[in-house]
Structure formats: C-alpha cells, structure tokens
C-alpha cells in the first residue's frame, strides 16, 4: 500500500511540475528583437501564431511524453500485483484476440486436476492475460449507433462461489477495460461463502490496490444461493442501474451503451445483452449468431431464433423481444 501511495505522490508532483512549466513558458516567454528591429515592428498576432504552430506543439509533445512515462511507471507498479498472484496483465499472450489458447504436454498433465474441479481449464486461465483482447462481433450497424452522454451509471454485480481467481479477475478487468469510466459506478463481487483461501485475503487485497474505491467485496456468512446472493449485491449497489453477471465473463467494447439507453427509455425494461460463448477447454471466444435468450418449460436457459417480424425488418441492431 505504501508503494502505491508513493506512485500516486509521484504522479501528482510530476503533473504539478508539468503544469507549472507550461504556465512559465506561456507567461514568461522572452521576446527578443533582432538588430535593426524595433518593438513596434513585432506583430503580436504573428508571435502568437508562431507560438501556436511551434511552441505549443513542442510543449504538448513534452507533456504527452512525460505522461506516457508516468503511465508506464504506474502500470509496472500495478502489474506487480498480478505477478504476486501468478497472473498476467497486458493485451497480448495466449488467447489474444479470443483465439484458442494452448498448453504444452507437460502443462496439460498439471491442468487435469483443476479442470475437473472447476469444470473449465483453470490452469490454462492462469496463463492467459487478465486484459486479453477479444473480437468485436457486433453487426456493423450496431457499431455505427450513437448514444447520448447523459446515460445512467451501472453497478456491475458478479456472483461467485469457489470460482477460479484468474477467471474472476479477468471478468473484473474486462468490465473496467470495456465500460466507459463515466458509466461505470462500481463493481460488486458477491462471495456466496467460498472456502478457497485465494478468494479471501488475496482477492480482496488485489482489487483494493488495483481498483481502489471502484470494486467492493460482499461476503455472505453462509451459502445463500444464486438469487439471495444477487439480492445482497443489489443492496450494496449505488448505481442507477444494476447488472448481474456470472463471474466468468468477458465484455466487448460498446456493450454498455445500448443496454443503458434502452433502460433509460423505459425503466421497467430488463435487458439481456447478446451473449457469445467462451469454450471451457481453450477459452476460445465463439460467436453465436443472432439469437435471443429464452427458457424451456423446465426453466433451462436456451437460445431461440428471433421472431419472423424481427427478420423481416432487416435491421440486426434492433432489440429482440
């Protein structure tokens, strides 16, 4: 925690120094006259134009370079948090772009036990970056839609019990990376009485340092079940809208705006985004074509084809009832 405070102090001091430097150049830039010139020959507008064309440009370049260096320092500091858990940050590595990730023959042997325990390849998950890139499968027309800047904020609620730590943190990273900051009120992790040690202090310390003030952890003192656990998350939420998700998901860019816009139009709406699939063996992101979610008579969730009037409209950006 002390190291994180040092980084914050360093950031503040550097930003103050850069701001002071800019003000100094703007206010105290000396004006010199060449031999044979008089001060009344120097045209103020020309001087300002010259400063705008050359001086400000170079100052901006210097500021951007300094901020980039500071960003690298902060990133290295925060990246150390994941390394202490044996995890990886950054946008590259195995599974980049949502492609299948693989293990060596030696690693495959080590992965068998965790795979049976979690129902997915948790050993492989630890080798995949928490920030990996995934494809944007939205129809072109969806990408072209514009939304207002006054959309309501959302509290994202993840429910888990004895989930793999890497999968939970990838869900958190993905939500932060792909939700506009001004729309993301908070992320709430509801632990329905897990007994895995890595989901206790290690998880809490990581999110408190990596995303201070943004991520909250709610812990049930006994196993409550999915619905009551969701209610506990809802009680802790302060956003205008709440979104409930499993703790083994990854978000794509532009997921939040259409959801929030639809609810802003009618607060009684319950919205379900289009959901693709993450394969349990290799974490490949598999595209599901246009479909809606429905339920069988046994209340099993299933994909259903959109109704005929939706297809007849010929607009893949329209919502499916």
């Amino acid at each position: 925690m002390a190291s994180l405070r040092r980084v914050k102090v360093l950031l503040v001091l550097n930003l103050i120094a850069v701001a002071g430097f800019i003000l100094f150049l703007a206010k105290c830039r000396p004006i010199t006259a060449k031999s044979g010139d008089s001060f009344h020959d120097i045209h103020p507008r020309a001087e300002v134009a010259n400063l705008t064309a050359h001086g400000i440009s170079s100052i901006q370049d210097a500021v951007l370079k300094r901020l980039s260096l500071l960003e690298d320092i902060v990133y290295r500091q925060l990246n150390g948090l994941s390394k202490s858990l044996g995890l990886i940050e950054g946008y590259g590595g195995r599974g980049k772009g949502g492609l299948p990730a693989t293990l060596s023959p030696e690693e495959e042997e080590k992965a068998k036990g965790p795979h049976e325990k979690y129902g997915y390849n948790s050993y492989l998950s630890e080798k995949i970056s928490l920030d990996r890139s995934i494809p944007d499968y939205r129809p072109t027309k969806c990408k072209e839609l514009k939304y207002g800047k006054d959309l309501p904020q959302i509290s994202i609620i993840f429910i888990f019990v004895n989930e793999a730590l890497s999968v939970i943190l990838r869900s958190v990273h993905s939500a932060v990376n792909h939700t506009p900051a001004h729309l993301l009120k908070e992320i709430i992790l509801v632990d329905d009485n897990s007994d895995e040690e890595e989901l206790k202090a290690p998880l809490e310390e990581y999110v408190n340092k990596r995303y201070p003030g943004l991520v909250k952890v709610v812990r049930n003192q006994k196993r409550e079940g999915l619905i009551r656990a969701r209610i506990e998350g809802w009680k802790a939420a302060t956003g205008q809208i709440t979104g409930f998700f499993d703790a083994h998901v990854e978000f794509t860019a532009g997921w939040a705006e259409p959801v929030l816009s639809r609810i802003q139009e009618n607060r009684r709406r319950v919205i379900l985004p289009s959901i693709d699939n993450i394969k349990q063996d290799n974490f490949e992101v598999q595209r599901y074509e246009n479909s809606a979610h429905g339920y069988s008579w046994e209340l099993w969730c299933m994909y259903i084809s959109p109704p005929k009037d939706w297809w007849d409209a010929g607009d893949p950006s329209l919502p499916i009832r």
Side-chain angles (χ1 to χ4, degrees), residues 57-321:
S57 177
S58 62
I59 292 172
Q60 288 176 338
D61 291 341
V63 171
L64 290 175
K65 185 176 181 181
R66 172 63 64 87
L67 291 176
S68 178
L69 290 172
L70 293 175
E71 188 177 51
D72 289 342
I73 292 171
V74 173
Y75 181 77
R76 285 196 298 271
Q77 182 72 27
L78 295 176
N79 195 27
L81 298 175
S82 62
K83 286 182 179 178
S84 67
L85 299 174
L87 303 178
I88 307 164
E89 293 190 38
Y91 292 96
R94 303 188 208 189
K96 176 183 178 182
L99 296 174
T102 58
L103 294 171
S104 67
E106 295 78 12
E107 290 174 326
E108 288 283 2
E109 284 298 315
K110 297 178 182 178
K112 289 181 179 178
H115 197 305
E116 294 173 0
K117 177 179 179 180
Y118 292 107
Y120 50 76
N121 198 337
S122 61
Y123 183 87
L124 175 59
S125 175
E126 295 175 357
K127 311 300 178 185
I128 298 173
S129 172
L130 302 178
D131 301 299
R132 75 153 175 174
S133 58
I134 59 174
D136 184 351
Y137 285 139
R138 290 177 297 164
T140 301
K141 192 164 184 179
C142 290
K143 298 177 184 179
E144 295 172 349
L145 293 175
K146 304 297 181 183
Y147 300 94
K149 296 182 179 179
D150 61 338
L151 294 174
Q153 290 185 311
I154 186 169
S155 295
I156 293 177
I157 302 172
F158 293 119
I159 314 297
F160 68 90
V161 55
N162 292 332
E163 194 95 52
L165 178 61
S166 62
V167 171
I168 295 174
L169 293 183
R170 188 174 301 108
S171 301
V172 172
H173 275 245
S174 179
V176 174
N177 292 342
H178 296 113
T179 309
H182 70 286
L183 299 180
L184 180 57
K185 178 66 175 181
E186 64 207 346
I187 295 175
I188 299 172
L189 302 177
V190 182
D191 174 13
D192 196 20
N193 199 230
S194 299
D195 49 33
E196 294 285 344
E197 286 301 320
E198 67 176 6
L199 300 181
K200 297 178 182 178
L203 168 63
E204 204 148 340
E205 290 174 4
Y206 177 86
V207 296
N208 287 341
K209 291 179 180 179
R210 186 66 175 81
Y211 300 112
L214 181 64
V215 180
K216 303 175 183 177
V217 180
V218 175
R219 298 194 185 274
N220 292 337
Q221 298 307 306
K222 64 177 182 177
R223 192 70 51 79
E224 297 288 356
L226 179 61
I227 301 305
R228 283 194 292 269
R230 285 178 171 172
I231 291 173
E232 291 303 312
W234 172 76
K235 288 178 181 177
T238 61
Q240 296 165 278
I241 292 173
T242 50
F244 298 93
F245 298 90
D246 292 330
H248 44 255
V249 299
E250 295 179 54
F251 296 82
T252 56
W255 78 271
E257 292 90 333
V259 170
L260 301 179
S261 177
R262 293 276 295 159
I263 297 175
Q264 186 181 50
E265 292 171 1
N266 183 350
R267 63 183 294 273
R268 295 180 180 275
R269 286 176 176 154
V270 177
I271 307 297
L272 183 66
S274 177
I275 299 176
D276 296 310
N277 183 45
I278 302 174
K279 292 187 177 180
Q280 61 185 21
D281 295 323
N282 56 22
F283 287 82
E284 177 186 5
V285 178
Q286 179 184 28
R287 181 179 185 178
Y288 279 6
E289 295 298 331
N290 295 326
S291 61
H293 272 67
Y295 294 91
S296 67
W297 286 109
E298 293 80 20
L299 293 183
W300 287 103
C301 182
M302 58 186 289
Y303 289 93
I304 59 176
S305 179
K308 183 177 181 300
D309 59 352
W310 187 89
W311 289 110
D312 290 344
D315 183 356
S317 70
L318 293 176
I320 303 169
R321 185 174 176 80

Side-chain angles (χ1 to χ4, degrees), residues 11-25 59-60 62-67 70:
L11 269 173
V12 172
L13 291 176
N14 275 274
L15 288 172
I16 291 174
V18 170
F21 178 66
I22 294 172
L23 289 172
F24 175 79
L25 285 179
I59 292 172
Q60 288 176 338
V63 171
L64 290 175
K65 185 176 181 181
R66 172 63 64 87
L67 291 176
L70 293 175

